[in-house]
Amino acid sequence: MLAMDYRGPRRVRAAQKPMPEIKHPQDAIVRVTRACICGSDLHLYNGNVPDTRVGTTFGHEFTGIVEEVGPEVTKVKVGDHVLVPFNVACGECHFCKQGMFGNCHESNTQASAVGGIFGYSHTAGGYNGGQAEYARVPYANVGPTVIPAGMDPDDAVLLTDVVPTGYQAAEMAGIQPGDTVVVFGAGPIGIMAARCAWLFGAGRVIVIDQVDYRLEFARNYAKCEAYNFNEMADPVVFIKKTTDFMGADVCIDAVGAEASGNAMQTITGRKLLLQAGSATAIHWAVNSVKKGGVVSIVGVYGPTDNLVPIGNVLNKGLTIRANQTSVKRLLPRLIEHVQNGIINPKALITHRIPLEEVADGYRIFSDKLDSCIKTVLISPSAKI
Amino acid sequence: MENTAKDPGLLPGWGIDADPKNDPTYPMRHRMNVGQDPDSKHRPTLQLVDEEVLKSIERQNVSAVFGTPLPPHGLSGAIRRWAFKYSESVYPHWLPLLLADRVDMVEGVLADLVHGHVPNIFAERGAKMDWKYNRSGFIAKLATVSLLTAGAIVLLSSKDEKKPSKKHRRCQA
């Protein structure tokens, strides 16, 4: 089968690989119909995530048609068109039982801090991802969810990560009616977090980024204010001024390790890998939020250390909330929102690229070429 | 003094101000007492371990399922095995893994060549997209790299010219 094949930092190609096999009684094999490139795939693509082995297939956002199931699979059957949450979750462990499907304890042998994630290095379990014609989906009774009749597959594929992660960013922020919410990052997650902030009653939503076309997209899609930090002397002072020098009630980091905007963070975090990525967005969030406010982190960082102003977290009495998204827990509500037209996920998709041209897709998405917001890879076997 | 388990309920004032509603963790955490939960020992069916899987020393066991591709191999594999002697909280775990990734990349190129495949790095980097959508930036990058390379060559060759040869030094002496 054809699959994305990682060869080293900023080098990927489409290559022939062996078909995935049932390795566990709760496994399913799906024929992939849609697979996205996620902003967090860029951390892998740039070689920043330890134990990303050459030959790995990335892709944790995908949909597919069930082709084969193991003997213990009862919740999906051959022929079902399913969306696959990015978490590999058993549904039975201490954490899954609490709805923390992003923190499953039975899906990752290589690390204790993170549960299994499709196509996200051996640090996240060593699973191949969905940027392929076929994928192995463990715990098929838990994760894969049948796409409701009538739902566009383009909407469904964004329910595997982008929509739930944006939603959980707003949910973890504990937004109260009238709150001012600042979202750092105008990528797909940041845009979705800004959109979802309104669902929790925000009174004002501000997005900060440096890419003008994305800021314009955020204004139109999320009906929010959007500002370019390159046009302000200091984004923290800008936010203080625009909130009567109080600070925002809530700040959301929707950037993660690839952040720009601070030379020291960029050099030590992204270029020299002395930190687990550049922590500029967290830095700005901590310093921009009001005393007693909430910082919600969904941007992904590596497993080592980051330079963050922890003293200000203490001095300001902040609450920091962060987690990998519990996609399974949020899906019922979000499917409702999509079906009712409250959230329109597929509007984020700007590029549809054949799997054979995966290297071009990564370059376009990584370097923000051709006004790219979200890229979907279409496998030659998709047939939908 | 010996460390022994204590019943905290016997401590004066234990739990008198507890307020289960005041819990900032998310999702709201059900604090399951593992010892009292009849299901706490239950695990899903275990995947057969039929190839080498590196295990974090912070874990008791191999997880019930795990990814199967790409077991450690070669020099990169040796480095990875060494890294897994250390916990996730120390650099000797993570930095060797990053090093192993780079070694793996070189091993990947060698494996390609052994199999008669010369990697098309230009295509693998999607460079034609840069040419298509960011031509001025592409040319600027190319020019910068060319200038730096030319500068380095000039610098190195001029140093070579200034440096007297051993023979010349002997003559001067």
Side-chain angles (χ1 to χ4, degrees):
Chain A
M1 68 158 185
L2 195 68
M4 178 271 192
D5 186 26
Y6 171 75
R7 305 309 302 172
R10 296 182 73 80
R11 282 181 55 216
V12 300
R13 65 191 182 206
Q16 289 296 325
K17 291 189 172 185
M19 282 286 288
E21 297 172 4
I22 300 276
K23 289 281 191 178
H24 182 271
Q26 292 179 37
D27 280 358
I29 304 295
V30 302
R31 174 166 54 83
V32 177
T33 52
R34 297 283 187 283
C36 295
I37 302 175
C38 176
S40 57
D41 285 332
L42 299 182
H43 311 328
L44 301 168
Y45 179 65
N46 289 324
N48 294 350
V49 179
D51 215 352
T52 304
R53 300 182 190 174
V54 166
T56 301
T57 294
F58 299 168
H60 56 268
E61 303 178 359
F62 62 99
T63 57
I65 292 171
V66 178
E67 293 277 314
E68 189 183 352
V69 293
E72 290 182 15
V73 176
T74 55
K75 300 286 173 64
V76 294
K77 59 184 188 306
V78 172
D80 283 345
H81 194 189
V82 294
L83 63 91
V84 183
F86 74 84
N87 331 104
V88 180
C90 72
E92 300 180 55
C93 70
H94 178 78
F95 304 103
C96 285
K97 279 180 184 171
Q98 299 175 65
M100 299 170 71
F101 295 99
N103 307 94
C104 176
H105 206 57
E106 289 288 6
S107 57
N108 186 5
T109 301
Q110 277 99 167
S112 61
V114 62
I117 298 174
F118 288 99
Y120 211 80
S121 82
H122 276 68
T123 294
Y127 300 93
N128 269 337
Q131 291 169 8
E133 286 186 278
Y134 294 88
R136 171 193 170 212
V137 178
Y139 296 132
N141 289 330
V142 181
T145 301
V146 176
I147 299 172
M151 180 177 280
D152 190 319
D154 287 351
D155 283 327
V157 74
L158 294 179
L159 281 166
T160 61
D161 183 354
V162 172
V163 180
T165 300
Y167 186 88
Q168 186 166 312
E171 186 190 45
M172 288 192 299
I175 297 166
Q176 299 298 307
D179 274 359
T180 295
V181 177
V182 174
V183 180
F184 292 98
I189 300 292
I191 291 168
M192 190 55 67
R195 174 70 191 90
C196 291
W198 298 118
L199 304 183
F200 290 90
R204 187 180 179 195
V205 179
I206 299 168
V207 171
I208 304 286
D209 199 292
Q210 65 168 345
V211 182
D212 282 326
Y213 79 82
R214 289 192 164 187
L215 290 166
E216 188 58 29
F217 192 99
R219 275 185 210 105
N220 291 328
Y221 183 88
K223 311 299 177 200
C224 60
E225 300 168 50
Y227 300 99
N228 188 327
F229 65 73
N230 288 325
E231 293 170 5
M232 46 184 82
D234 183 334
V236 173
V237 176
F238 171 82
I239 291 163
K240 289 285 171 65
K241 281 183 179 173
T242 197
T243 54
D244 293 330
F245 290 94
M246 294 295 283
D249 297 288
V250 161
C251 284
I252 294 172
D253 169 5
V255 182
E258 303 294 330
S260 302
N262 178 310
M264 194 270 286
Q265 290 275 3
T266 300
I267 292 166
T268 57
R270 288 170 53 193
K271 305 298 180 190
L272 301 177
L273 301 185
L274 296 174
Q275 302 187 61
S278 160
T280 303
I282 298 182
H283 200 102
W284 286 349
V286 165
N287 288 338
S288 303
V289 77
K290 75 177 182 186
K291 293 171 186 171
V294 179
V295 173
S296 169
I297 304 173
V298 290
V300 174
Y301 293 86
T304 52
D305 304 332
N306 281 100
L307 292 169
V308 294
I310 198 71
N312 285 353
V313 175
L314 170 77
N315 290 332
K316 296 172 79 170
L318 304 185
T319 297
I320 294 185
R321 285 175 157 182
N323 206 347
Q324 292 285 353
T325 308
S326 180
V327 177
K328 173 81 177 173
R329 178 179 64 80
L330 296 170
L331 272 179
R333 182 69 171 157
L334 295 174
I335 286 173
E336 261 180 42
H337 283 339
V338 172
Q339 288 180 319
N340 294 335
I342 291 169
I343 298 175
N344 176 14
K346 65 174 178 286
L348 294 173
I349 296 171
T350 51
H351 289 70
R352 307 168 71 81
I353 292 179
L355 180 61
E356 296 90 324
E357 296 166 21
V358 63
D360 295 345
Y362 268 88
R363 187 58 177 256
I364 289 171
F365 187 62
S366 165
D367 290 6
K368 302 175 183 68
L369 303 174
D370 195 29
S371 300
C372 180
I373 300 288
K374 189 71 180 173
T375 299
V376 176
L377 298 168
I378 310 290
S379 131
S381 301
K383 299 173 191 165
I384 289 180
Chain B
M1 197 168 81
E2 195 182 347
N3 286 315
T4 52
K6 292 182 177 66
D7 179 357
L10 299 177
L11 297 172
W14 181 84
I16 57 172
D17 293 331
D19 179 3
K21 288 179 185 166
N22 181 18
D23 188 338
T25 60
Y26 191 85
M28 196 59 75
R29 186 173 170 217
H30 308 303
R31 287 181 173 79
M32 294 188 297
N33 185 325
V34 174
Q36 292 171 3
D37 178 0
D39 291 334
S40 66
K41 302 291 181 195
H42 172 76
R43 299 187 70 200
T45 308
L46 304 183
Q47 181 177 333
L48 180 67
V49 183
D50 56 358
E51 59 189 323
E52 184 178 5
V53 178
L54 297 177
K55 184 180 80 62
S56 166
I57 62 169
E58 295 183 40
R59 284 189 61 90
Q60 189 178 12
N61 45 36
V62 172
S63 54
V65 305
F66 48 88
T68 55
L70 309 171
H73 64 95
L75 177 61
S76 63
I79 299 170
R80 292 187 208 284
R81 288 183 199 106
W82 187 82
F84 272 83
K85 292 178 181 172
Y86 297 91
S87 85
E88 296 160 54
S89 71
V90 295
Y91 279 111
H93 180 72
W94 297 113
L95 296 185
L97 286 176
L98 280 170
L99 173 66
D101 291 347
R102 299 301 175 265
V103 172
D104 198 6
M105 180 182 71
V106 176
E107 289 172 337
V109 172
L110 293 176
D112 271 349
L113 295 174
V114 165
H115 290 100
H117 174 79
V118 179
N120 183 345
I121 292 179
F122 190 80
E124 287 175 354
R125 294 175 67 86
K128 74 178 180 201
M129 293 300 103
D130 220 17
W131 176 251
K132 186 173 178 183
Y133 296 114
N134 182 29
R135 193 162 299 181
S136 55
F138 183 82
I139 291 168
K141 263 186 259 177
L142 209 62
T144 308
V145 170
S146 305
L147 274 173
L148 287 173
T149 310
I153 291 168
V154 168
L155 197 71
L156 287 171
S157 55
S158 67
K159 270 186 182 172
D160 283 348
E161 277 169 22
K162 280 178 193 169
K163 196 173 162 185
S165 66
K166 279 184 182 174
K167 192 179 171 186
H168 185 68
R169 279 201 300 264
R170 239 180 273 134
C171 291
Q172 282 175 327

